[in-house]
């Protein structure tokens, strides 16, 4: 007969194996369903897959998958702002990363990302004006990346009341017609924005004007603008 100590040891080993097996199953399930990771982990969002699954909410635009860029989507042009909300997203503080491609056509390309979205008019956003990246006019050149907090702080009010505080130029190496990496670090009171590959110094750093501390994430395009979007990554603050 086995001693009591041996029986207790065997039970402990079996319980440990059960815990390991359960943890592995949970991790596999999370990966298969695209569930959000634990706090501090990065969630990669396949936009084309989400579009096919019907879990992107498109507002005032149409969205299609980009055949030449797996996982990417194209958002069409139309008067007024357009949004593509990621259903189920709820972002507070942390880092948003996205590859964006616009066009080098004056006043026809405004492309970015919205966050802390409450509805289709209340959100914060950071967007690019690719046609200003390499503009020879110094005023246009200054207005290459913009932060807004809709509806109270859209760009006309910000430019009038706080000139040059909420927009900046980008590095000369950033091409207006290529895929542009955009990284946004959102904290309680500040938003730091990095435009371009390998950029370590903020392209623009602003005080946060939005009053919401959490909300939806969405792709954003401005008036008469279309755009391409890929490689959306969300990393909550630890």
């Amino acid at each position: 007969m086995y001693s009591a100590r041996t029986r207790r040891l065997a039970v402990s080993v079996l319980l440990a194996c059960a815990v390991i097996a359960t943890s592995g199953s949970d991790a596999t399930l999370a990966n298969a369903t695209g569930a959000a990771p634990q706090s501090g982990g990065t969630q990669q969002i396949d936009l084309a897959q989400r579009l096919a699954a019907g879990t992107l909410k498109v507002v005032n635009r149409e969205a299609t998958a980009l055949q030449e860029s797996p996982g990417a989507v194209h958002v069409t042009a139309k008067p007024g702002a357009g949004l593509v909300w990621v259903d189920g997203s709820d972002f507070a503080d942390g880092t948003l990363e996205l590859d964006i491609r616009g066009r080098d056509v004056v006043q026809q390309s405004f492309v970015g990302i919205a966050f802390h979205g409450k509805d289709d008019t209340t959100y914060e956003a950071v967007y690019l004006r690719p046609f200003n990246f390499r503009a020879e006019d110094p005023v246009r050149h200054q207005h290459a990346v913009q932060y807004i907090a809709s509806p109270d702080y859209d760009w006309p009010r910000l430019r009038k009341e706080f000139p040059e505080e909420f927009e900046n130029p980008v590095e000369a190496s950033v091409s207006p017609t290529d895929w542009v990496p955009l990284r946004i670090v959102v904290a309680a009171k500040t938003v730091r924005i990095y435009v371009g590959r390998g950029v370590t110094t903020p392209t623009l750093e602003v005080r946060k004007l939005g009053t919401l501390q959490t909300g939806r994430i969405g792709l954003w395009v401005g008036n008469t603008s279309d755009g391409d979007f890929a490689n959306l990554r969300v990393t909550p603050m630890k």
Side-chain angles (χ1 to χ4, degrees), residues 17 29 94 233:
C17 291
L29 178 62
R233 300 175 298 282

Side-chain angles (χ1 to χ4, degrees), residues 198-217:
V199 174
T200 57
T201 302
T203 308
L204 176 66
E205 183 169 358
V206 299
R207 53 194 169 96
K208 188 178 183 297
L209 297 177
T211 58
L212 297 175
Q213 297 303 313
T214 186
R216 290 185 294 175
I217 300 166

Side-chain angles (χ1 to χ4, degrees), residues 121-230:
T121 59
T122 306
Y123 53 82
E124 295 172 71
V126 171
Y127 65 90
L128 308 175
R129 299 184 182 98
F131 55 86
N132 284 342
F133 285 3
R134 296 177 178 175
E136 294 182 0
D137 179 350
V139 176
R140 281 183 49 202
H141 182 69
Q142 178 70 27
H143 301 155
V145 57
Q146 174 86 52
Y147 164 87
I148 60 172
S150 178
D152 295 329
Y153 294 98
D154 207 346
W155 72 267
R157 178 182 178 184
L158 294 177
R159 190 173 293 178
K160 179 181 179 180
E161 297 182 13
F162 312 100
E164 315 307 337
E165 183 178 348
F166 293 94
E167 48 193 336
N168 254 351
V170 301
E171 289 190 358
S173 61
V174 182
S175 170
T177 57
D178 288 344
W179 286 101
V180 177
L182 175 64
R183 178 162 58 98
I184 303 168
V185 181
V186 181
K189 297 182 179 181
T190 60
V191 179
R192 299 197 309 276
I193 301 149
Y194 302 79
V195 181
R197 201 170 306 281
V199 174
T200 57
T201 302
T203 308
L204 176 66
E205 183 169 358
V206 299
R207 53 194 169 96
K208 188 178 183 297
L209 297 177
T211 58
L212 297 175
Q213 297 303 313
T214 186
R216 290 185 294 175
I217 300 166
L219 314 177
W220 186 94
V221 287
N223 183 47
T224 69
S225 176
D226 62 349
D228 299 330
F229 302 84

